[in-house]
Amino acid sequence: MTGSPLLSVIVAAHDLQGGLDSCLRSVLAQSFTDLEVVVVADPSSACRTDVAEAHRRGDARVSVVHLDATASIGRIRNAGAARARGEYLLFLDSDHLLWGGTLRAMADRLDACDRPDLLLFGHTRLHRGQSWPGAAAGLLAGDDGRPFTLAQRPDLLAAPAYSWDRLIRRGLWTRESLAFPDGLHEEVTAMHHALFTASRIAVLKWECVQIRRRHTQHPAGSPDGTPFDVFARYEDSFELLGRSGQSAAAPHLFTRMVRHYLFLLGLSGHLSTRERPRFFDRAGEHYQRFLPEGYERPPGREGVKFQLLSNGGYSAFQAARLPAMARALLPHS
């Protein structure tokens, strides 16, 4: 391949579900061809280097980065970004699929918006035969088609900070020294940093990526990561927000933080029985520490959970969860 492509698709080769081949095929079969695919593998047994190398031999647009030691998913993605030559970066995992025509739609939207720093788009999640739209679907649906800044759409911070539902201009990545940290929940601060510093943001109202796992945490995880890494991520995000001077976005980032903590408290297997009270206490401390002046909690049952976290009563929080857990165990008609 000569010259620099428009898109660099960076794929982590960890493949616990046997989806890497399908993922790469969904990218390489796109009608849009001005792209490169950078597959990154470490020496762990979870990486399908044979699949990656087979695609490299069969398609000149594919390259494979072999890391010398087992690495966190953050370092894996950083290594792919360092190798990339495209104008825009797209980070995918082996259990992601691109729908046909999506890369062409992305390229057309980039041109129509005069090459923004970020292009946000939708996704779907497939689990046990059921598919549903991502958490940002409602926010993206309200877009009026014109490029904007975060100051104009601070509500976008209320959406989960994923790396695979956006294109990031490589110039922004290098100019701001963006990088994923080691540990778990590595996307949070990096993607918030990109939003805070993007001069122009645009939306493509397509559900471009399908995720074929129930939860968002990457299977590779991090050799030294813990569930408590998430607290450092939001501390960093609020520090970046303060430096950006976009105080109007604080309530939206706060809402995203609390929703994330509540999600992790309810996520089966993420926290041990011993870890749960300590995690709850840390989450409650962050609630009080980052609570914006005049903040209004969400309505309904979600607002009750916010209040319980604010009050710091783990026993009351657990008691409130029991009816919902019991309903989840009942057979569905």
Side-chain angles (χ1 to χ4, degrees):
M1 181 187 299
T2 60
S4 298
L6 178 65
L7 304 179
S8 291
V9 183
I10 298 163
V11 183
H14 289 74
D15 191 21
L16 299 179
Q17 298 181 177
L20 181 60
D21 182 63
S22 297
C23 173
L24 295 176
R25 289 180 184 275
S26 77
V27 175
L28 297 170
Q30 296 278 318
S31 60
F32 180 81
T33 59
D34 188 18
L35 63 99
E36 67 171 353
V37 179
V38 181
V39 187
V40 186
D42 68 16
S44 68
S45 59
C47 279
R48 292 296 308 276
T49 54
D50 57 331
V51 173
E53 288 293 344
H55 281 279
R56 181 189 62 79
R57 292 190 296 269
D59 196 315
R61 296 173 296 172
V62 180
S63 62
V64 182
V65 178
H66 295 277
L67 303 182
D68 294 334
T70 301
S72 68
I73 182 58
R75 290 194 184 189
I76 287 168
R77 289 177 175 145
N78 291 340
R83 173 67 66 89
R85 300 178 299 111
E87 185 176 351
Y88 287 88
L89 307 177
L90 171 61
F91 296 95
L92 295 180
D93 298 332
S94 63
D95 51 10
H96 292 168
L97 287 178
L98 288 184
W99 296 116
T102 54
L103 293 187
R104 167 54 63 188
M106 291 177 191
D108 290 345
R109 187 71 179 129
L110 290 174
D111 287 341
C113 296
D114 194 24
R115 303 291 175 91
D117 281 338
L118 291 176
L119 180 68
L120 311 179
F121 46 83
H123 69 271
T124 58
R125 188 175 299 279
L126 180 67
H127 179 63
R128 295 181 178 177
Q130 293 186 329
S131 178
W132 64 93
L139 292 173
L140 299 185
D143 180 71
D144 65 5
R146 294 174 294 182
F148 54 88
T149 65
L150 183 64
Q152 295 168 312
R153 287 290 312 273
D155 57 318
L156 287 172
L157 278 174
Y162 300 141
S163 61
W164 31 258
D165 63 359
R166 64 201 66 196
L167 294 180
I168 304 173
R169 194 165 193 165
R170 189 159 61 91
L172 174 67
W173 185 271
T174 56
R175 183 182 75 240
E176 297 297 329
S177 299
L178 297 177
F180 297 100
D182 285 333
L184 301 183
H185 310 292
E186 76 293 332
E187 294 173 302
V188 172
T189 306
M191 295 301 99
H192 287 157
H193 193 171
L195 279 170
F196 296 152
T197 54
S199 59
R200 295 171 66 253
I201 305 168
V203 167
L204 171 63
K205 293 183 183 181
W206 277 45
E207 293 175 336
C208 296
V209 179
Q210 183 180 76
I211 302 115
R212 294 168 291 165
R213 66 175 182 268
R214 174 64 181 88
H215 302 303
T216 58
Q217 188 169 301
H218 191 275
S222 177
D224 301 314
T226 80
F228 291 82
D229 292 340
V230 72
F231 297 112
R233 306 293 180 249
Y234 281 100
E235 289 171 0
D236 290 343
S237 289
F238 272 99
E239 181 182 352
L240 288 167
L241 178 63
R243 278 192 267 155
S244 74
Q246 302 185 66
S247 58
H252 302 287
L253 179 59
F254 181 83
T255 298
R256 166 48 27 205
M257 177 189 76
V258 177
R259 283 175 173 164
H260 198 169
Y261 293 167
L262 291 171
F263 170 77
L264 296 175
L265 280 163
L267 181 58
S268 176
H270 188 67
L271 296 162
S272 69
T273 302
R274 180 176 297 180
E275 289 172 329
R276 285 180 57 79
R278 186 159 58 95
F279 189 98
F280 182 89
D281 289 344
R282 289 284 304 277
E285 290 170 3
H286 270 198
Y287 193 107
Q288 298 300 332
R289 177 177 170 184
F290 297 115
L291 178 65
E293 184 177 355
Y295 179 76
E296 295 185 8
R297 294 189 300 271
R301 292 178 60 188
E302 184 181 34
V304 172
K305 293 180 180 180
F306 273 52
Q307 180 64 50
L308 290 169
L309 189 62
S310 170
N311 292 341
Y314 179 68
S315 297
F317 177 78
Q318 281 292 87
R321 288 183 69 241
L322 291 177
M325 293 171 63
R327 286 193 297 271
L329 295 174
L330 291 174
H332 298 285
S333 57

